[in-house]
Amino acid sequence: MRVDRFLANFPQYNRQQVRVLLAQRSVRVDGLTVTDPRHEVREFSQVEVAEQVLQAGRAARYLMLNKPAGCVSATRDPQHPTVLELLPPPLRDDLHIAGRLDYNTTGLMLLTNDGQWSRRLTQPQTKLPKVYHVQTEDEIGAHYIETFRAGLYFAFEDLTTLPAQLEILGPRNARLAIVEGRYHQVKRMFGHFDNKVIALHRERMGPITLDPDLAPGAFRLLTADEIAAV
Ligand code: URA
């Protein structure tokens, strides 16, 4: 958000006062004096006015985790272990999950405290593919490809799913790329053909691929390149 809008959101400053503060060189963002009203303030920026801290700077954190089966994609759960509990306590603070997975789904899970970044990754509008390896109970027909590409009507949400790409790898194995994350989406898509998904593993989200060196339950910080790619 622009620094003038950010400051005008505080009850103690109106727009005129904000202009004066900037002109007087009383505003600092991340330690630097700012006079341009268009200067961007991020969720993680430290903002000070006349030595008073209005927003404390924080470090952005980005992690990937190989989610094992049998844990919930939640920050808290009264009954089951959560993915957050797989991280050491100092790292867990204020993290959220970018794209949940079902209890028994495995694979790539991204966690961050950067809301803008996770929205870019998960919003259907950005069309970043979420790629799953799917194993089914019955044989996967070649006709599934066109049905998934055309989209399926989900009555509960009253929407048609966006085009999805299916690559058939074997009689009961496929790779599916979807650009949204509707509730139980993959299972419901195969459910349209009465074909039960018996194993589901997320391999990739947009430009970020699950690190093959991460055992189930293990995590690592994202690299600068991975963060910047989203
Ligand atoms: N689709 C599902 O059905 N389950 C998941 O965990 C992810 C996508």
Side-chain angles (χ1 to χ4, degrees):
M1 172 188 310
R2 287 167 54 132
V3 69
D4 57 349
R5 297 223 177 95
F6 175 87
L7 292 173
N9 280 339
F10 284 81
Q12 62 266 47
Y13 306 124
N14 60 34
R15 282 164 184 265
Q16 172 60 17
Q17 286 165 320
V18 168
R19 272 195 288 274
V20 172
L21 287 169
L22 287 164
Q24 284 175 336
R25 307 179 64 81
S26 301
V27 181
R28 285 205 301 180
V29 177
D30 294 326
L32 293 175
T33 301
V34 163
T35 54
D36 182 354
R38 290 163 307 180
H39 187 95
E40 275 294 303
V41 170
R42 294 209 60 210
E43 203 179 335
F44 301 99
S45 307
Q46 166 124 345
V47 184
E48 295 156 82
V49 172
E51 311 294 322
Q52 192 197 341
V53 176
L54 293 186
Q55 174 173 282
R58 296 184 293 146
R61 294 201 308 290
Y62 309 85
L63 292 90
M64 76 159 69
L65 180 127
N66 185 358
K67 180 189 173 297
C71 79
V72 287
S73 290
T75 44
R76 242 176 282 166
D77 190 276
Q79 282 171 352
H80 304 287
T82 70
V83 284
L84 259 277
E85 285 161 24
L86 295 166
L87 305 176
L91 266 188
R92 292 179 199 168
D93 201 26
D94 75 6
L95 287 185
H96 62 264
I97 296 160
R100 293 169 188 279
L101 292 174
D102 294 338
Y103 185 66
N104 278 325
T105 302
T106 57
L108 178 64
M109 171 146 282
L110 296 169
L111 299 116
T112 180
N113 56 351
D114 184 344
Q116 266 184 12
W117 186 87
S118 61
R119 270 191 295 281
R120 279 202 298 282
L121 200 61
T122 53
Q123 272 174 352
Q125 295 91 306
T126 54
K127 298 225 163 50
L128 291 177
K130 286 80 188 170
V131 181
Y132 293 87
H133 184 268
V134 191
Q135 233 180 298
T136 57
E137 197 161 78
D138 299 322
E139 286 201 10
I140 300 167
H143 58 295
Y144 288 25
I145 295 173
E146 179 49 26
T147 305
F148 289 176
R149 195 205 55 75
L152 281 167
Y153 179 65
F154 280 2
F156 184 72
E157 297 94 334
D158 187 24
L159 58 81
T160 300
T161 55
L162 291 168
Q165 268 192 314
L166 182 72
E167 184 192 350
I168 300 176
L169 304 171
R172 294 178 182 80
N173 273 285
R175 181 166 288 119
L176 178 66
I178 57 176
V179 295
E180 37 192 350
R182 307 288 170 200
Y183 181 66
H184 293 329
Q185 180 161 343
V186 176
K187 290 175 188 158
R188 288 162 79 193
M189 289 172 73
F190 282 87
H192 172 80
F193 296 103
D194 268 333
N195 195 352
K196 190 172 173 198
V197 170
I198 54 170
L200 188 57
H201 179 80
R202 187 158 62 196
E203 300 175 331
R204 180 161 74 83
M205 291 185 81
I208 303 178
T209 301
L210 179 65
D211 188 330
D213 292 337
L214 285 182
F219 74 93
R220 72 158 167 81
L221 298 178
L222 294 191
T223 64
D225 284 350
E226 285 169 334
I227 298 164
V230 173

